[in-house]
Amino acid sequence: MLLESQKKEILDFARSQVSGNDALHRMEHLEETAREALKLAEGESGDPDVVWAAAMLHDICKSKNGDHGAEGSKLARLFLSSIRISKDITDKACDAIYFHNKDFTDGPIERKILWDADKLPIMRAEGFKERMLPYWTAKLGEKEGVKKSIEEYHFYRSRFHTGTAKNEVEANSTAMQRCINNLPHEE
Ligand SMILES: [Fe+2]
Ligand SMILES: [Fe+2]
């Protein structure tokens, strides 16, 4: 069980760590991921405290060099231990953070929930247009950015882990196809 005071410490720490991230990986992204994770935890019988803490901390090393899942997991462990979060919650949250940017087929439900919660918003037309496209066009320019975003959509689409997320991705696929068809590359 997380105490209210511990939740506040996690929020404050997360905010301080992600302030230097690119605009699409700051507090708003953590909060959105946490909301998605809590919804998935309900449908999938995951531990809400674990998925919430993991979601709030999963991108704390996004702007650093190297593997931000592995680095974030290490930093999250130090922080969670320092505020006396139980070993069980810490272990499960850090496992989920470690794997959120990696391919895996099996593992604890909280690992699957965090991965899915992180990617689910960009599998919806609004999220795709507001997050995925701006992220890649800022990095690669308009034409390559659009191409890369569509590739990423297809890459992620086939990799969801939980039944709840898979169902939603499938339900969105017609609207997503329409959205993709309307992008400049199709001209
Ligand atoms: Fe990430
Ligand atoms: Fe993320």
Side-chain angles (χ1 to χ4, degrees):
M1 218 11 217
L2 293 178
L3 304 172
E4 284 310 310
S5 59
Q6 290 172 321
K7 286 191 183 178
K8 189 179 174 309
E9 288 190 84
I10 292 173
L11 282 171
D12 290 345
F13 181 72
R15 190 173 291 111
S16 72
Q17 293 300 307
V18 301
S19 62
N21 283 0
D22 68 86
L24 294 166
H25 291 94
R26 294 187 196 147
M27 213 48 191
E28 207 184 313
H29 169 58
L30 302 182
E31 285 166 346
E32 180 173 54
T33 306
R35 280 195 301 277
E36 299 290 343
L38 288 175
K39 272 193 263 166
L40 291 177
E42 250 184 75
E44 302 286 334
S45 309
D47 182 326
D49 283 340
V50 169
V51 301
W52 182 84
M56 290 312 310
L57 298 171
H58 79 280
D59 278 336
I60 52 176
C61 288
K62 179 75 181 170
S63 63
K64 308 211 173 95
N65 291 331
D67 173 356
H68 81 276
E71 293 304 315
S73 171
K74 267 192 253 172
L75 182 57
R77 181 174 294 282
L78 285 176
F79 169 70
L80 291 172
S81 315
S82 79
I83 61 165
R84 299 171 189 279
I85 302 294
S86 72
K87 185 175 181 317
D88 182 54
I89 292 181
T90 300
D91 285 348
K92 287 182 185 159
C94 293
D95 169 87
I97 295 168
Y98 181 88
F99 280 99
H100 90 273
N101 61 342
K102 296 174 185 65
D103 259 343
F104 58 88
T105 48
D106 214 352
I109 189 65
E110 289 79 13
R111 183 195 292 177
K112 297 176 182 176
I113 288 173
L114 178 63
W115 194 103
D116 289 9
D118 186 33
K119 323 299 184 282
L120 203 45
I122 50 174
M123 299 288 109
R124 301 179 186 128
E126 328 82 79
F128 182 82
K129 281 186 278 190
E130 284 162 24
R131 290 185 48 80
M132 185 94 103
L133 278 174
Y135 183 76
W136 288 112
T137 50
K139 276 194 176 214
L140 305 172
E142 170 83 24
K143 192 164 171 276
E144 286 307 307
V146 167
K147 205 173 132 210
K148 178 74 175 167
S149 297
I150 297 168
E151 278 169 21
E152 291 275 290
Y153 168 70
H154 290 292
F155 176 83
Y156 288 134
R157 188 185 155 172
S158 59
R159 282 172 165 76
F160 280 79
H161 305 86
T162 66
T164 311
K166 283 180 187 174
N167 288 343
E168 193 197 313
V169 170
E170 279 321 296
N172 288 341
S173 65
T174 312
M176 272 305 302
Q177 203 49 58
R178 208 178 306 130
C179 166
I180 286 173
N181 290 344
N182 285 331
L183 294 173
H185 78 289
E186 293 290 285
E187 277 165 14

